[in-house]
Amino acid sequence: HATRAEAWLASGERSMVRNGNRGGGIGLGRLIALRSVPMLLTLRVSALKSRIAGPIGTAASGGKMALLDVPKFAREELGVNGLILGTELLVGADRPQLQKVIEAADKAGCPCLVLMESTPQQLAHHDLDKVNAAQDRCLRVAQAAAWLGCAAFSIPLHAEDD
């Protein structure tokens, strides 16, 4: 069954896909052409923020999908092969809830590949308490990434201009 992207390409439509508020975009035809190149196409789930009802555990409502519906949507409608999931969508999640994410992603054939922390961490701060807190956060993100079966995790760093 064809994805919406493939159906769009077959229709001959050639409008541009917009990239957020930046006004630029990539032609969907170019995006589809990339599928013939041996490349892993991923979706940063936060790009769907306006279409997601809320963090894990939030039910779908008001035309918005639940987080657990994202892997199926990403695979079937967008044709991507994996997800980059932000920690802001996992606020308050316990291990059984993370297991539900894994199951939804496995069922859709669209696994979570990277867990991305959204808050910059102060690993190079002069205050040792802030460094210790940042290290603890990094360890928690790494543990959640391992539980989700991610191949990697990402932590933005905050560095003072000294």
Side-chain angles (χ1 to χ4, degrees):
H1 123 34
T3 65
R4 282 188 186 175
E6 291 166 331
W8 171 86
L9 185 62
S11 75
E13 172 79 27
R14 295 297 182 259
S15 63
M16 298 295 281
V17 174
R18 294 290 174 201
N19 184 5
N21 293 329
R22 295 182 209 152
I26 180 172
L28 195 51
R30 288 184 185 171
L31 181 62
I32 298 301
L34 288 176
R35 292 186 74 172
S36 66
V37 176
M39 182 179 294
L40 182 64
L41 295 177
T42 60
L43 170 69
R44 184 172 174 183
V45 176
S46 62
L48 297 175
K49 185 177 181 177
S50 66
R51 299 183 77 173
I52 299 173
I56 191 167
T58 306
S61 66
K64 294 186 175 190
M65 70 180 112
L67 180 61
L68 296 178
D69 296 330
V70 169
K72 182 178 179 181
F73 175 81
R75 181 69 178 160
E76 292 180 3
E77 301 298 327
L78 302 177
V80 300
N81 307 98
L83 303 174
I84 300 170
L85 188 60
T87 56
E88 72 279 359
L89 292 170
L90 300 176
V91 172
D94 56 16
R95 192 144 185 198
Q97 288 175 310
L98 294 179
Q99 185 61 40
K100 288 179 182 180
V101 172
I102 295 168
E103 291 167 4
D106 287 349
K107 185 176 180 181
C110 191
C112 179
L113 301 174
V114 178
L115 181 60
M116 190 169 79
E117 170 62 41
S118 52
T119 304
Q121 299 300 309
Q122 298 183 350
L123 290 170
H125 200 276
H126 65 276
D127 182 344
L128 192 55
D129 289 338
K130 290 185 179 188
V131 172
N132 288 336
Q135 288 174 340
D136 288 344
R137 180 62 182 166
C138 290
L139 289 173
R140 286 193 309 275
V141 172
Q143 185 177 43
W147 286 344
L148 287 167
C150 295
F153 66 95
S154 170
I155 305 283
L157 300 178
H158 173 79
E160 304 223 357
D161 293 334
D162 293 59

